[in-house]
Amino acid sequence: MKILSIQSAVAYGHVGNSAAVFPLQRIGVEVLPVYTVNFSNHTGYGAWRGPLISPADVAEVLTGIEERGVFPQVDAVLSGYQGSEGIGDVILDAVARVKAANPAAVYACDPVMGNAKSGCFVAPAIPVLLRERVVPAADIITPNQFELGFLTGTEPADLESTLVSADLARDMGPRTVLVTSVERPDAPEGTIEMLAVTDDGAWIVQTPRIPMKANGSGDVTAALFTAHYGATGDPALALARTVSSVFDLLQNTYDSGERELQLVESQGAYAHPRMQFEVTRVR
């Protein structure tokens, strides 16, 4: 499997491609990373150094890859945080060119906009871009519950309303929606859930909530689910493998006391997921 991953990069820590690439490689995926920024660290520190890469330069890198004759071999295009409309245009153009070269290729988009605690933290034009142009072009999207509501103009608050919102998102274009953090009032205290919805049904998995904020965990989740679903065609199995790996990554990070994901130290969790959580079909 080959995945073209168009995302940010940082030297210190793990977000964007600096979070997604290694876990994918560890499960045997050939990754073509294309960077949209090259920062010293993620912006959550409040200070960082390094350049934004212009949309024109990102497009040049993609054209160079295309000129090597690689696009027909690409199985999936993966994107995360989109810092500008210009980058969005470049990603959409790349998706169209990859799909022209390989009609079986899919586009997996993590529509990064914000979360329930922080609200929307991207520029005002980005949610509009995602809702009107990017999500309709995607085959897989991986929003959190807040982002799912923002995309669909709903307020998912329980399982039923989250399923309704996921179907509204699927009506926009993508056939597969992975809701990466489902919170509902009737769930046991101290738990959180992940939900996958496809044409074939819907599946949910519940794990303990680890009391930490981990930048980059969503990037790892989107990458692993895209790869596992592409490899198996089984959404429940892809969900089980992804949740197992990401939970152990987060637990290892929490136990370490470090702020940054213990990405390399947790490599066994990607290569050999423990499958410790039950996936339940809910539709």
Side-chain angles (χ1 to χ4, degrees), residues 172-194:
M172 297 167 68
R175 303 317 306 155
T176 299
V177 175
L178 177 70
V179 189
T180 59
S181 57
V182 176
E183 301 185 54
R184 53 190 177 114
D186 57 333
E189 186 175 353
T191 64
I192 194 164
E193 293 166 308
M194 198 177 294

Side-chain angles (χ1 to χ4, degrees), residues 208-222:
R209 179 194 295 272
I210 298 173
M212 65 175 294
K213 177 185 177 183
N215 295 90
S217 58
D219 302 318
V220 176
T221 301

Side-chain angles (χ1 to χ4, degrees), residues 163-245:
L163 285 167
V164 169
S165 297
D167 285 338
L168 289 172
R170 293 185 340 109
D171 289 343
M172 297 167 68
R175 303 317 306 155
T176 299
V177 175
L178 177 70
V179 189
T180 59
S181 57
V182 176
E183 301 185 54
R184 53 190 177 114
D186 57 333
E189 186 175 353
T191 64
I192 194 164
E193 293 166 308
M194 198 177 294
L195 173 73
V197 185
T198 75
D199 290 339
D200 298 322
W203 296 263
I204 199 165
V205 59
Q206 185 177 97
T207 73
R209 179 194 295 272
I210 298 173
M212 65 175 294
K213 177 185 177 183
N215 295 90
S217 58
D219 302 318
V220 176
T221 301
L224 288 177
F225 182 80
T226 298
H228 287 312
Y229 191 26
T232 67
D234 184 333
L237 179 57
L239 180 62
R241 288 179 176 175
T242 300
V243 168
S244 175
S245 298

